[in-house]
Amino acid sequence: MRNISKSLDGQVLRQLRSAARLDYGVSALLLHHFTKHRLPLQARQLHARLILCSVPPDNYLGSKLITLYSKTNNLKDACRVFDKIPHKNTFSYNAMLMTYSLHKQHIDVLNLFSSLSSSSSVNARPDNFSITCLLKSLSSLLFTDVKLGKEVHSFVLRGGFDADLFVENALITYYSKCDDLVLARKVFNRMTERDLVTWNSMIAGYSQAGFYEECKRLFREMMDFSGFRPDGVTVVCILQACGQTKDLVFGMEVHRLIVDNQVEMDIWICNALIDLYAKCGSLDYARELFDEMSEKDEVTYGAIISGFMSHGHVDQGLGLFREMKNQLLSTWNAVISGLVQNNRHEGVLDLVREMQELGFRPNAVTLSSILPTLSYFSSLKGGKEAHAYAIKNGFEGNIYVSTAIIDMYAKSGYLSGAQSVFDQSKGRSLIIWTAIISAYAVHGDANLALSFFHDMLNSGIQPDSVTFIAVLGACAHCGMVDEAWQIFETMFKKYGIQPVVEHYACMVGALSRSGRLSEAKEFVSKMPIEPSAKVWGALLHGASVSGDVELGKFISDHLFEIEPENTGTYVIMANLYSQAERWKEADVVRERMDKVGLKKLPGSSWIETSKGLRSFIATDRSSENSAEICAILEGLLGMIRDEGNLQEELHEDSLFG
């Protein structure tokens, strides 16, 4: 090797000193050598000699120069060389296409390919390398258009490039990025030859698009029939699918496969394994892998922290977060989201302020996480400030931010604000429609909720399980039984969605609220799945309203077994017995509640004032303005009395204590 290097050094010295015309072949060989061995200074000297001798680069020499400048991050010099090639051919075009692609100048790749395909020169025609380069750049763009992919695919078929392995692999990747997995799979199925990249492209496409079961099936097919062994790309994709579906058994098989096939355990695979075990609740094993890692990044910490948070181990997640030397925005978001999911709202806003003091700016993920906290505290002012921040920073178009804002406004009683955000949203997706339907459902406006539901269907959006919960919930609030039955029956017949326990609870609620208790009881007895506390609770509410003590007792017996610490069941049953003047049984229920050690927490309300958020309970006289409040209430009572809407049994003492 040293002898070859000395020989080349001798040649370059002779070339540089010679006044004669430079040899193209030797120059190209030298440029390749300088590029390979990272000798940019010598390469530039040779290029300068070529310019001094007025030697216009031919396609071969020009391509070597383009590659040199590309690998030394001199894109402008590469462009100058390309522009000076007098009669460009496919070889030089491809060199420039590759250069643009490596430097992520994807629009320039499109423009140059267009120039190549429209060239009048017989020596400048796109080949398989040109098309592969084009498809890779199209896949890297932020926006993807399946129509453009189909045009390129047609060009491939017309040019006879459909038998080229690299072109077909690139087509699978592009269609996957366009979320058109049907077309990607068609290309995959028609291939007569496949390599590991082919399998990885299709498996990755399914994994990234959320088709996790298809991803796992294709992986098994690859292992059983292809003859290929998985590499790092394969296992990361399949582990993601296992984690998202909480398929611990399959995930452990993949882990064993990694060990058996001696796949290098790089940081990406370690992160995927930690994420799998954390999502599946095997936190001890996830922590063991975490501790064994010599190199960790923000993804590592994010996976383990999210795992602890999602399984309720908030303090352990926070402890790991505080151990981090270099906290990044993604890990701050993981902790904030974890606190919200665990209803630890008290610490959320303090954490956001701490994050901002350290120089981090909230992004779309941060906003969609903190908005539920603002609605929890009924902080409409804070919610509006978050909305203004989203608009100022261009996050209002983010689907998750928009949805969170609609939900926050609805829960804060500001329906017009929720409607305004919905009206301004572009390209309305299912979760945006579901958010506005839920907003009106929560406020008991079933007619508007149903109207939005039908508008959504007419726009071509298919409902999911959550949408049906919102719509059925709206019907339940208003006792709209016929509409609820009609929607419930179409779930599986028309949309293929199997009802879950929440849907059954809504139906029980609709029947109970409309006074059809016997139908509700029969409906529960015929349920194909075990009734949950929500189902029994909806039926108990109906029994409470109608005063049906025996039905209430039957239901409460089930509820005492399912959730013995729920004070609501004890209170409702004690009240039912009291209304029926069955005092002994009411006392027994209260004594049972005391023995369990439960106490009814007083219901409280919040109101936002100029002095901040104020909490109060019934008969609360802690406010310094109690006298004025009572005076206003007395005035309101007088107005209600004049309208004839005040029930006789309602005493002023119950309001004023």
Side-chain angles (χ1 to χ4, degrees), residues 286-540:
R287 183 61 196 259
E288 186 181 332
L289 284 169
F290 176 85
D291 291 336
E292 288 174 358
M293 287 178 68
S294 57
E295 179 189 359
K296 302 179 180 76
D297 62 8
E298 68 276 9
V299 178
T300 319
Y301 277 96
I304 192 76
I305 289 169
S306 296
F308 279 123
M309 290 290 190
S310 62
H311 290 90
H313 302 287
V314 178
D315 293 331
Q316 284 177 270
L318 279 170
L320 275 171
F321 174 70
R322 294 301 182 189
E323 286 177 17
M324 288 183 69
K325 293 179 181 177
N326 298 307
Q327 296 161 337
L328 298 179
L329 182 58
S330 59
T331 43
W332 281 96
N333 285 339
V335 173
I336 291 167
S337 175
L339 289 174
V340 173
Q341 289 168 10
N342 286 280
N343 292 319
R344 295 272 289 265
H345 296 283
E346 291 76 13
V348 170
L349 297 181
D350 289 337
L351 201 64
V352 173
R353 291 188 192 97
E354 182 186 346
M355 180 187 88
Q356 289 179 290
E357 287 170 2
L358 291 171
F360 294 98
R361 289 179 60 79
N363 62 4
V365 178
T366 323
L367 284 175
S368 58
S369 296
I370 64 172
L371 282 161
T373 291
L374 295 169
S375 63
Y376 172 83
F377 286 119
S378 302
S379 178
L380 180 59
K381 181 174 178 289
K384 287 182 176 180
E385 288 174 358
H387 188 186
Y389 179 89
I391 294 170
K392 184 179 179 181
N393 291 277
F395 298 134
E396 79 278 11
N398 181 283
I399 186 172
Y400 300 105
V401 173
S402 298
T403 305
I405 291 171
I406 291 171
D407 183 66
M408 179 272 300
Y409 278 147
K411 288 177 178 175
S412 302
Y414 185 37
L415 267 178
S416 60
Q419 181 67 59
S420 176
V421 174
F422 175 80
D423 292 338
Q424 292 172 25
S425 62
K426 297 175 183 177
R428 292 169 188 156
S429 66
L430 174 61
I431 65 170
I432 290 283
W433 281 102
T434 302
I436 196 68
I437 291 167
S438 299
Y440 284 102
V442 166
H443 283 265
D445 196 333
N447 290 323
L448 259 178
L450 287 169
S451 174
F452 276 112
F453 178 66
H454 293 304
D455 287 346
M456 182 192 81
L457 296 178
N458 292 334
S459 70
I461 302 292
Q462 295 293 299
D464 66 0
S465 180
V466 180
T467 316
F468 279 112
I469 291 171
V471 178
L472 290 171
C475 295
H477 272 298
C478 301
M480 297 171 69
V481 180
D482 294 337
E483 290 83 353
W485 270 123
Q486 185 180 358
I487 292 165
F488 184 80
E489 288 173 354
T490 63
M491 280 182 63
F492 186 73
K493 291 179 181 178
K494 190 172 182 179
Y495 301 103
I497 297 172
Q498 192 70 45
V500 294
V501 71
E502 286 81 6
H503 301 114
Y504 286 103
C506 290
M507 285 304 304
V508 173
L511 290 165
S512 299
R513 283 176 185 268
S514 60
R516 294 156 69 167
L517 279 178
S518 57
E519 286 182 56
K521 184 180 177 183
E522 185 182 358
F523 180 80
V524 172
S525 67
K526 292 181 178 179
M527 280 177 59
I529 55 178
E530 188 69 26
S532 68
K534 288 183 179 179
V535 174
W536 290 117
L539 191 57
L540 181 61

Side-chain angles (χ1 to χ4, degrees), residues 26-285:
V26 174
S27 298
L29 180 64
L30 289 169
L31 285 168
H32 177 74
H33 173 76
F34 295 146
T35 304
K36 183 179 178 181
H37 293 281
R38 303 177 184 272
L39 301 169
L41 181 60
Q42 290 87 332
R44 281 186 171 278
Q45 287 176 333
L46 179 56
H47 189 195
R49 181 66 178 166
L50 289 166
I51 294 169
L52 285 173
C53 293
S54 301
V55 177
D58 66 357
N59 284 287
Y60 182 61
L61 185 60
S63 298
K64 296 296 182 185
L65 283 166
I66 290 168
T67 303
L68 162 74
Y69 287 124
S70 173
K71 291 187 175 180
T72 55
N73 294 319
N74 289 300
L75 183 59
K76 288 183 179 178
D77 288 338
C79 293
R80 289 193 190 99
V81 172
F82 179 76
D83 291 338
K84 288 179 180 178
I85 299 174
H87 305 291
K88 301 175 182 68
N89 66 6
T90 302
F91 193 71
S92 54
Y93 267 103
N94 284 346
M96 198 63 224
L97 284 168
M98 176 59 80
T99 295
Y100 279 139
S101 181
L102 287 171
H103 287 264
K104 304 187 186 306
Q105 304 298 310
H106 304 302
I107 299 299
D108 290 322
V109 171
L110 270 63
N111 292 334
L112 189 60
F113 183 87
S114 177
S115 174
L116 172 61
S117 60
S118 60
S119 173
S120 57
S121 172
V122 294
N123 295 318
R125 290 284 185 270
D127 63 4
N128 56 342
F129 188 90
S130 320
I131 296 165
T132 303
C133 205
L134 170 68
L135 286 166
K136 284 182 178 178
S137 280
L138 287 172
S139 301
S140 301
L141 291 170
L142 291 175
F143 61 91
T144 50
D145 184 358
V146 73
K147 292 180 181 178
L148 187 56
K150 288 178 179 178
E151 287 181 18
V152 177
H153 197 170
S154 298
F155 184 89
V156 167
L157 295 171
R158 290 195 305 270
F161 300 114
D162 53 313
D164 185 272
L165 180 64
F166 298 102
V167 170
E168 291 188 303
N169 287 346
L171 275 169
I172 291 171
T173 300
Y174 184 69
Y175 281 137
S176 298
K177 286 287 175 68
C178 295
D179 289 330
D180 196 329
L181 276 301
V182 174
L183 279 175
R185 188 58 189 260
K186 282 182 179 178
V187 174
F188 178 87
N189 288 341
R190 289 173 182 171
M191 292 176 70
T192 55
E193 179 191 359
R194 297 182 185 128
D195 62 3
L196 183 57
V197 175
T198 315
W199 289 94
N200 282 349
S201 299
M202 197 67 241
I203 288 169
Y206 278 136
S207 183
Q208 289 162 9
F211 294 96
Y212 302 119
E213 296 304 326
E214 289 86 346
C215 175
K216 290 188 284 186
R217 275 196 294 270
L218 190 62
F219 176 77
R220 286 198 182 279
E221 186 182 330
M222 184 189 95
M223 296 303 300
D224 292 341
F225 305 112
S226 75
F228 292 107
R229 296 291 91 187
D231 65 0
V233 175
T234 326
V235 297
V236 166
C237 293
I238 195 66
L239 285 170
Q240 180 191 3
C242 293
Q244 292 294 337
T245 54
K246 294 182 171 56
D247 192 340
L248 181 60
V249 174
F250 197 164
M252 291 177 75
E253 285 180 30
V254 176
H255 192 176
R256 195 177 305 114
L257 214 88
I258 294 168
V259 177
D260 292 345
N261 286 272
Q262 297 181 337
V263 179
E264 183 187 354
M265 288 280 288
D266 61 18
I267 191 169
W268 305 103
I269 293 177
C270 289
N271 287 347
L273 282 168
I274 288 171
D275 188 57
L276 162 74
Y277 288 119
K279 277 187 168 70
C280 294
S282 298
L283 296 173
D284 290 342
Y285 200 48

